[in-house]
Amino acid sequence: EVQLVESGGGLVQPGGSLRLSCAVSGFTFRSYEMNWVRQAPGKGLEWISYISSRGINMYYADSVKDRFTISRDNAEDSMYLHMNSLRGEDTALYYCTRGRFSDYWGQGTLVTVSS
Amino acid sequence: EIVLTQSPATLSLSPGETATLSCRASQSVSIYLAWYQQKPGQAPRLLIYDASYRATGIPARFSGSGSGTDFTLTISSLESDDFAVYYCHHRSNWPPWTFGQGTKVEIK
């Protein structure tokens, strides 16, 4: 069974940092590109970052570029999102998703940016 | 950035009726468009990819069509489980890969 489990969310002050993790199982992680997608409370979905299967290509939405860094460890079947200079508008549920068309999603980890 | 505009914002229908949801792109995305269903408190679920291909396990009452800038998700004979919010999402060659703002299908 394919599983994606996010962790690392929490309450952080504006300007702070956080690292999210996505642990996967049930498929050959190193064969798949991955994404992070977020959803602010009561709002729609926002794609924020992508990493290719071998971690060579990374892309970001303008809203997080230069503040967030995506990475992965294929030996550990895990993906990460390093978030710096956090702002109130980064408050959201953060999902990791599998593949170009996000055929599998985790349940999300909540990030709250507030003083 | 390609903007996806979904219409209508809300669709009020009765079980058994057909839902027709629209997604319009600000520039061509070829066939690289997907549709997702999201219910309250749940992660989104992939329904359709490459404009018209149903994802694994998706019932045949869900169908997608379109190419270029105009796409449609059709849900035939609505069931109670289908009342949810639906999003389109493009995966054309270059990011950012945006989502539409969503269409809520509610029970009339």
Side-chain angles (χ1 to χ4, degrees), chain B residues 37-89:
Chain B
Q37 176 194 69
Q38 187 178 33
K39 299 176 185 178
Q42 296 185 17
R45 177 175 70 146
L46 175 66
L47 301 174
I48 301 287
Y49 65 95
D50 282 347
S52 62
Y53 292 87
R54 273 188 302 276
T56 303
I58 301 303
R61 65 180 183 275
F62 291 90
S63 63
S65 63
S67 65
T69 60
D70 289 295
F71 299 87
T72 301
L73 174 69
T74 302
I75 312 170
S76 303
S77 191
L78 278 165
E79 298 187 2
S80 57
D81 193 48
D82 300 336
F83 292 93
V85 179
Y86 293 83
Y87 295 95
C88 58
H89 174 51

Side-chain angles (χ1 to χ4, degrees), chain A residues 8-63:
Chain A
L11 175 63
V12 60
Q13 292 189 333
S17 299
L18 215 51
R19 188 186 84 155
L20 306 184
S21 300
C22 173
V24 313
S25 60
F27 66 98
T28 305
F29 179 63
R30 64 180 181 273
S31 297
Y32 285 85
E33 49 200 341
M34 299 289 291
N35 307 274
W36 287 98
V37 175
R38 71 183 180 184
Q39 187 168 36
K43 303 298 184 183
L45 302 170
E46 180 186 16
W47 170 83
I48 57 169
S49 191
Y50 159 96
I51 188 166
S52 59
S53 59
R54 292 192 292 164
I56 294 173
N57 296 308
M58 291 86 77
Y59 301 120
Y60 301 92
D62 287 346
S63 58

Side-chain angles (χ1 to χ4, degrees), chain B:
Chain B
E1 172 177 312
I2 295 174
V3 176
L4 298 180
T5 302
Q6 292 187 239
S7 61
T10 304
L11 202 49
S12 298
L13 295 168
S14 301
E17 292 191 298
T18 294
T20 303
L21 287 68
S22 173
C23 177
R24 177 162 290 178
S26 59
Q27 57 185 277
S28 177
V29 297
S30 184
I31 62 165
Y32 305 126
L33 189 106
W35 290 93
Y36 300 85
Q37 176 194 69
Q38 187 178 33
K39 299 176 185 178
Q42 296 185 17
R45 177 175 70 146
L46 175 66
L47 301 174
I48 301 287
Y49 65 95
D50 282 347
S52 62
Y53 292 87
R54 273 188 302 276
T56 303
I58 301 303
R61 65 180 183 275
F62 291 90
S63 63
S65 63
S67 65
T69 60
D70 289 295
F71 299 87
T72 301
L73 174 69
T74 302
I75 312 170
S76 303
S77 191
L78 278 165
E79 298 187 2
S80 57
D81 193 48
D82 300 336
F83 292 93
V85 179
Y86 293 83
Y87 295 95
C88 58
H89 174 51
H90 82 85
R91 288 306 286 246
S92 58
N93 287 341
W94 297 107
W97 295 307
T98 50
F99 284 87
Q101 82 278 19
T103 290
K104 181 179 182 180
V105 178
E106 64 176 22
I107 299 177
K108 187 174 182 180

Side-chain angles (χ1 to χ4, degrees), chain A residues 70-90:
Chain A
I70 192 171
S71 62
R72 65 190 293 161
D73 184 339
N74 285 347
E76 295 293 327
D77 289 345
S78 293
M79 178 176 69
Y80 307 98
L81 187 69
H82 302 256
M83 305 187 296
N84 296 322
S85 304
L86 284 161
R87 307 165 179 166
E89 54 264 39
D90 296 317

